[in-house]
Amino acid sequence: MKILTHTVKPRLEGELAALDAIARNLWLSWNFDAVSLFIRIDPDAWMASGQNPVKMLGMVSQERFDQLAQDDSFIASVNDVKSRFERYKKGEAWYKGPKKPVTAYFSMEFGIDVSLPTYSGGLGILSGDHMKTSSDLGLPLVGVGLLYRQGYFKQYLNADGFQQESYPENDWYNMPVEQCVDPDGKPILISVDLAGRLVHAAIWEVKVGRSSLFLLDTNIPENTLEDRIITATLYGGDKEMRIRQEIVLGIGGIRALAALGIEVAATHMNEGHSAFLALERVKAFMAEGGLSAREAIQAFIPTNIFTTHTPVPAGNERFGIDLMEKYFRALIESYGIQWGDFLALGRENPQDYGESFCMTVFALKLSARANGVSALHGEVSRDMWKNLWPQLLPDEIPIGHVTNGVHPRTWISHDMLPLLDRFLGPRFNDEPGARDIWDRMDRVSDEELWRTHERRRERLVAFCGDRLDAMLARLGVTGAAFQKMEAALSPSVFTLSFARRFATYKRGNLLLSNPDRLIKLLSSKDMPMQVIFAGKAHPHDIPGKEIIRELVHFSRKDEVLGRVVFLEDYDMTMSRYMTSGSDVWLNTPRRPLEASGTSGMKAGMNGVLNCSVLDGWWAEGYRPELGWAIGLGEEYKDDSLQDKVESDALYDLLEREILPTFYRRGRDNLPREWIAKMRESIKSIGRDFSSHRMLEEYYEGYYRPAMAAGAALKAEGYASSKSLSAYLDRAASLWPQVAVLDVSDDAPPVVLRGTRIHVPATVALAGLAPEEVRVECFRGPLTSKGEIRSPERIEMEPLAAEPGPGAGAWKFAAVANGTLTGQIGYSIRVLPKHPALGDRFVPGLVRWA
C-alpha cells in the first residue's frame, strides 16, 4: 500500500507563535515559568500529553488558542518567557572562547526531560545534565546518541507485585526533536557498513538551550525491517544487536557530524558503548593528514577522552571474537592494520588469544585522558585496570576522576527555587557556576525553609496518592483494601525514600532485614515513619525483580498498610517529587560498587538529608552536619555479615538519631536542629556537587587540553604524530634490550634530613639516544611489604656514554634532597620520551632496575 505523508502542526499566530519555539527547546525543562505557560493553557491536556509541550500544543483546540490570543495576561507571560529565553541564548556565558570546532560528547542514553524518553537511569540523566550545563556555560560541545523508537520500558506490577514491561512507541513528530534536512528539505542520511550490508540512519536534532544533541534513527524506509529495529529499544536485544547499535552510535555518529558540517576537535566517550568512533576518527585523520593508520592513531589519542562508570569487571561491555570478525575484519584490514594488532587493543592481555574484545579496554588504550566519576571510583578503576599498565604503581595508573554533579535548576523544586533566587541573588541565575553564592543560604530563615519543605512533602504525598489510585484501579483492587491503600501516607509524617535501579548490589531490601524492628518504627505513635520505594529492575534481572516483589508483599502487610508504598514506573517526574519532598534519602549499596550515584545530590540540594553507605559521591560529600553515614566505609568479604552489620546500623540511626532529631520541636513546632542540617546540605552539596563544577573540571582538565592538542597537530600537518608513531615502533622493537645495568648512591646507612644524596645509574639504551628516554630516580617511604609509597619522581640527567661491552650504555645521575624521615627506598626506571608523548605512559614500555 502506498502511503503519502505530511506533517501537520498547530496554527499559532502572532505572539502565540513563540510557544512553538519554546516547546521545541528543552530549555523549558529547567525553567518552570516556561512549563507554567503550558499548564495554564490546559492543565488536563498537559498531563494527558505526558508533560510533552509539543504534543500538547496539538491536543489543544483552535478555539482555545483564539481565546488565549485575546488574553492580555497570558500574552504578557508568553512575552516575558520569550524575552528570558532570548536573553539566555544570546547572553554572556562562562566560556568565552571560539565556538568552533567542538567537542563531541557521545552517550548511549540522554535523560533531558520526561517528554523525550531516550534514557533508562543514572547514566542517561547524567548525560542530560551534561548537555544542559554545557548550554549554561556556553561550551563548544554537541551531544551524539541514538533515537530509540520505544526508548526504555514502562514498568507496571502484576497482582503479585512482579515487574512487567511494556514498550510504547514514540512519535517523534509530536516530540521536541527536529529532523535534520538539507537546503532542499530532504532528510540528511548517513550510512554504515554492517557485515557487508549498508545501513542508513536519519539524524534528528534536540535543542538544549544553546547546545544541540544529535540522535541517529535507523527506522527509515531505506532500511530493511531487520535494520529498522536497530534503534528500536535502549539496551534491548542480544549481543549482536548491541554491537550493531554501538557501530551506528560510534562510527555513524562521527559521520553524522561530518554530514552536518560540524568540525570535531575532540571526542568524549561517556562509557565504552561509543568506542568504535575511534575507527572513524582514525580514518578521517588518515584522509586529512595523509597518515598511515598507526600515525593516525597517535593523532587521535591526544584528542579523545573516556569516562568509565562501571565499578565491576563484569559490567564492562565485551564482544566475542566471532562477532568482531564478522563486523570489523574487512574494515580493519582496509586500514592496513593487522587483525591481531587491532584485537590486542581490546584485550587486557594482548597475548591471550582467547580473550574477548572489551570496549572499556579499547577506550582506555585510545584515550590520552580517562576518568572515573568519583574519587573512590577513580581508585577502584585504577585497581580494576592495573593489568593494562602492570609496571606502574597503583596511583600512577592513568585514570583520574571527575566527581559527577547534577543540574541545580532541573532538580531543585519550583517551590524552593524562588526562595533561593531571592536570597542567593541574581548571580544564582546569571553565574550558575559561581560556588560562593551558596554560602548565602545562611540568610534563609528557619521558618521559610521549613514551610517550603513541608509544602514539597504535601505535594509528594498527593502525587503518590494519584499514582497509587491509578495502580489500584488497574489491578482491580476494591473495597476496604482500596480505601486503606488509597489513604496511604500522611503529609505530616517523617518520610524516608529509596528510589533507584533495582540491581542486587544496591540492596533495595536492606531496610527489611529485621521486619519486626521496622514494623515497630513504622507503627510508632510518638515518632511515626513512612517509606516510599520506587525503581526499575532490568528486564532480564530476575533477582532484582524479586527484590521489588518482596517490597510489595511487605507493603501489603496489615501492620504497615498505608505506611510503606512502592510506586511503579519511576521516571524523571517521580524523581523530582521524591528528591524534593522526602525527609531522608536512603542509599544502601555494597561499597565500593556505587560508581557515583547522583540522586542523593538532587535530594541534598532540596534540603532532603542523605543517609547512605560511604560509597560513590557520599564518600566525599558526607559530613555529620548535613546527613548520616551507615558505617565508616568498611568493605566486607561476607555479604551476609555485611547485611547484618549495616542493617543494624541503619536501624540504630533511625531509632537514636534521625527520628528523634526530626520530631524534636520547640514551642513554634520547628525542628531547628533538623533545619540546620537542611541548610548545610543545600549549601554544601549545591556548592560542591553541581554539574557546573563538574563541567568546568572537564573543560579545564580534559576538553581544553584535548582541543588544544588537536589544533596544534592540525597546524603542523600532523608531523608530531608521524614522528611519534615512528619513534614508538622503534622503541618497542629495542625495548627488550633496554636495561638498568648498575645503581649506586653515596649515602651512608643513616643520614640527616636535608642531606644531598648523589644517585648515579648506568643504563643500556640498546640504540636509543639518551634524549629519547626518561630515566627516573623513584624515591619514597617503604611500606612493611617493601613497596615504595607516595614517591617523588626525579628525572636523571645523562652524563656520558659508558665504554665496555654494554653497547649504547649511558651514565645518568640525580641528586635527591632528603626531606622525609624513616626508612626511605629508591629505585630507577626507564620510560620512553618524545615531545608528542607528554606524560602519557605506554603499556609495556617501562623498565625497572
Side-chain angles (χ1 to χ4, degrees), residues 347-468:
R347 287 172 167 158
E348 291 184 66
N349 180 3
Q351 307 307 317
D352 181 359
Y353 301 117
E355 184 182 340
S356 57
F357 190 93
C358 178
M359 297 294 279
T360 302
V361 172
F362 185 56
L364 284 169
K365 289 185 177 180
L366 293 180
S367 301
R369 295 164 187 84
N371 68 283
V373 289
S374 69
L376 179 58
H377 182 235
E379 294 177 20
V380 170
S381 298
R382 287 189 289 276
D383 183 66
M384 188 188 312
W385 301 112
K386 62 188 177 185
N387 290 338
L388 297 182
W389 297 273
Q391 295 167 308
L392 299 183
L393 269 65
D395 288 347
E396 291 186 300
I397 301 299
I399 302 175
H401 81 273
V402 175
T403 301
N404 284 344
V406 300
H407 188 254
R409 286 197 171 267
T410 293
W411 297 107
I412 296 176
S413 76
H414 62 79
D415 291 302
M416 185 70 75
L417 274 173
L419 191 67
L420 301 187
D421 280 330
R422 183 151 50 95
F423 285 96
L424 271 55
R427 291 177 61 217
F428 180 51
N429 182 69
D430 299 339
E431 301 176 38
R435 300 174 69 179
D436 61 298
I437 57 173
W438 294 95
D439 292 333
R440 298 182 181 181
M441 273 303 300
D442 294 333
R443 302 177 180 180
V444 182
S445 71
D446 287 358
E447 290 80 3
E448 286 191 280
L449 186 55
W450 185 245
R451 300 305 173 218
T452 301
H453 178 65
E454 286 193 310
R455 189 156 57 250
R456 288 311 304 176
R457 194 188 313 113
E458 290 167 2
R459 292 187 190 276
L460 170 61
V461 168
F463 174 84
C464 291
D466 291 342
R467 286 292 184 103
L468 286 170

Side-chain angles (χ1 to χ4, degrees), residues 32-148:
F32 190 72
D33 287 350
V35 173
S36 297
L37 286 177
F38 294 87
I39 297 174
R40 189 171 167 185
I41 292 171
D42 188 332
D44 293 334
W46 174 250
M47 297 307 297
S49 71
Q51 301 175 59
N52 176 349
V54 175
K55 183 177 181 179
M56 183 206 147
L57 289 176
M59 297 169 65
V60 176
S61 69
Q62 196 61 46
E63 289 77 15
R64 176 58 177 154
F65 285 128
D66 292 342
Q67 291 173 2
L68 292 168
Q70 303 304 315
D71 184 340
D72 58 349
S73 172
F74 182 78
I75 294 299
S77 296
V78 170
N79 288 335
D80 179 60
V81 171
K82 177 186 176 184
S83 176
R84 285 185 54 231
F85 182 38
E86 292 300 326
R87 285 200 307 272
Y88 174 84
K89 289 193 294 183
K90 297 174 182 177
E92 187 175 277
W94 175 81
Y95 172 81
K96 297 175 176 60
K99 299 300 183 183
K100 299 177 182 179
V102 302
T103 295
Y105 176 73
F106 281 69
S107 185
M108 197 73 168
E109 51 176 303
F110 286 87
I112 300 173
D113 186 59
V114 69
S115 65
L116 190 64
T118 56
Y119 64 95
S120 70
L123 181 69
I125 300 300
L126 176 74
S127 301
D129 282 4
H130 202 104
M131 293 302 304
K132 295 172 187 177
T133 311
S134 170
S135 169
D136 287 345
L137 298 179
L139 295 180
L141 181 143
V142 299
V144 182
L146 299 179
L147 191 68
Y148 301 102

Side-chain angles (χ1 to χ4, degrees), residues 629-668:
I630 302 171
L632 299 175
E634 301 90 348
E635 295 176 19
Y636 296 78
K637 293 182 179 179
D638 184 331
D639 288 351
S640 297
L641 175 63
Q642 181 179 12
D643 291 348
K644 177 68 169 65
V645 171
E646 293 183 344
S647 63
D648 284 346
L650 173 57
Y651 293 132
D652 288 344
L653 284 171
L654 287 167
E655 292 166 349
R656 300 174 187 176
E657 296 187 37
I658 296 175
L659 286 164
T661 305
F662 180 84
Y663 284 107
R664 191 178 299 127
R665 312 289 173 99
R667 288 184 178 180
D668 54 10

Side-chain angles (χ1 to χ4, degrees), residues 315-354:
N316 292 275
E317 187 89 79
R318 292 180 180 271
F319 294 114
I321 302 306
D322 55 338
L323 279 178
M324 294 299 298
E325 184 145 0
K326 177 178 179 179
Y327 285 94
F328 288 102
R329 182 148 196 165
L331 174 66
I332 295 304
E333 291 180 347
S334 74
Y335 283 19
I337 300 175
Q338 294 294 317
W339 179 240
D341 291 344
F342 169 69
L343 292 180
L345 291 172
R347 287 172 167 158
E348 291 184 66
N349 180 3
Q351 307 307 317
D352 181 359
Y353 301 117

